[in-house]
């Protein structure tokens, strides 16, 4: 039976494809206050602004490609059972070939009814005011905003509980509830933490790879193959 490797990814893995990390140093996201574009209150106050903000993110996604880290993770499926749990809303893991991906914070290429969270559609074009679901409600980005529940967190917890190896890439693991997933993995399994500036201490259980995602995942692949050969 193939070993089950659970991979938790954050903004760092997509940054090398040209997608900006969630917050700039000044606390803004693409020049916008997070509270204006990533909260239910911001959407209620100025839906046109919020819709256009995500339209711009969706357009940007057309111009970027999966990087080598995404591709190397997908290639690991040949030898391992790989589950990817990502905080990213892009589709770069899927485009690289990964087949088991959970998006904790939603998906940029989907929209949903503003009144019925289960009414979800695939969406690749701009979303404009007045575009409505079958029930007549305004469509909104299928994104988990600040202050909203994370519907996939229970599923992610269950997946982490079955891990033989845990890998963390490009995320500080400081934002909850995603940060709590580490505690649902079985005790004493190997953990690999890939980040160029890791804010974590290595241990007998935890291997820190202080490199970018593309460099770190390449090293990870070598380590995994050595340990299974």
């Amino acid at each position: 039976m193939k070993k089950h490797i659970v991979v938790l990814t954050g903004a760092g893995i997509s940054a090398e494809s040209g997608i900006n990390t969630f917050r700039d140093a000044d606390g803004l996201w693409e020049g916008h206050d997070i509270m204006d574009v990533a909260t239910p209150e911001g959407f209620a106050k100025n839906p046109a602004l919020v819709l256009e903000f995500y339209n711009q993110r969706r357009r940007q996604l057309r111009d970027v490609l999966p990087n080598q880290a995404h591709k190397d993770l997908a290639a690991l499926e040949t030898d391992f059972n790989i589950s990817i749990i990502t905080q990213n809303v892009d589709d770069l893991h899927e485009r690289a070939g990964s087949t088991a991906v959970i998006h904790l914070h939603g998906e940029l290429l989907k929209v949903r009814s503003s009144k019925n969270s289960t009414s979800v559609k695939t969406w690749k074009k701009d979303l404009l005011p007045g575009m409505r679901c079958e029930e007549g409600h305004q469509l909104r980005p299928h994104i988990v905003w600040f202050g909203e529940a994370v519907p996939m967190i229970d599923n992610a917890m269950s997946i982490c509980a079955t891990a033989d190896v845990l890998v963390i890439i490009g995320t500080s693991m400081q934002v909850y509830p995603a940060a709590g997933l580490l505690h649902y993995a079985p005790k004493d399994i190997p953990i690999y933490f890939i980040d160029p500036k890791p804010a974590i201490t290595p241990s007998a259980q935890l291997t820190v790879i202080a490199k970018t995602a593309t460099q770190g995942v390449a090293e990870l692949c070598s380590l995994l193959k050595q340990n299974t050969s």
Side-chain angles (χ1 to χ4, degrees), residues 5 8 10 15 27-28 39 41 43 68 70 73 77 85 110 112 123 125 130 139-140 152 171 173 178 193 200:
I5 300 179
L8 309 180
L28 301 179
T39 63
E41 293 79 10
F43 184 59
Q68 195 60 46
H70 295 107
L73 288 176
E77 292 190 11
I85 301 170
K110 291 183 179 179
R112 69 174 189 254
W123 199 271
K125 58 186 179 180
L139 291 169
R140 55 159 279 183
M152 299 302 295
T171 172
M173 295 301 287
F193 190 97
I200 197 166

Side-chain angles (χ1 to χ4, degrees), residues 110 117 183:
K110 291 183 179 179
S117 61
H183 306 298

Side-chain angles (χ1 to χ4, degrees), residues 8 14 25 41 44 69 87 96 99 107 129 131 140 155 160 173 194 204 206 209 226:
L8 309 180
S14 292
E41 293 79 10
Q87 297 176 67
T99 60
E107 298 180 62
M131 290 182 171
R140 55 159 279 183
N155 194 9
C160 286
M173 295 301 287
I194 300 171
L206 191 149
I209 302 175
Q226 289 173 13

Side-chain angles (χ1 to χ4, degrees), residues 28-100:
L28 301 179
W29 188 12
E30 299 285 349
H32 294 277
D33 188 304
I34 298 298
M35 302 307 290
D36 290 337
V37 295
T39 63
E41 293 79 10
F43 184 59
K45 177 182 177 182
N46 193 341
L49 171 68
V50 175
L51 294 179
E52 179 55 23
F53 176 81
Y54 289 97
N55 287 340
Q56 292 174 13
R57 309 284 79 69
R58 203 176 295 110
R59 293 173 206 142
Q60 179 193 37
L61 195 53
R62 300 174 194 154
D63 298 327
V64 299
L65 296 170
N67 60 54
Q68 195 60 46
H70 295 107
K71 295 174 183 177
D72 286 347
L73 288 176
L76 284 175
E77 292 190 11
T78 301
D79 300 309
F80 302 96
N81 176 16
I82 305 292
S83 296
I84 294 178
I85 301 170
T86 185
Q87 297 176 67
N88 300 332
V89 297
D90 60 64
D91 66 338
L92 297 180
H93 281 300
E94 288 90 342
R95 277 199 267 160
S98 291
T99 60

Side-chain angles (χ1 to χ4, degrees), residues 4 21 35 37-38 46 48 76 87 96 98 101 110 117 121-123 149 162 169 183 201 203 212 215 220:
H4 184 201
T21 52
M35 302 307 290
V37 295
N46 193 341
L76 284 175
Q87 297 176 67
S98 291
V101 184
K110 291 183 179 179
S117 61
K121 298 174 176 286
T122 299
W123 199 271
T162 66
I169 306 170
H183 306 298
T201 303
S203 68
T212 64
Q215 296 169 336
L220 170 72

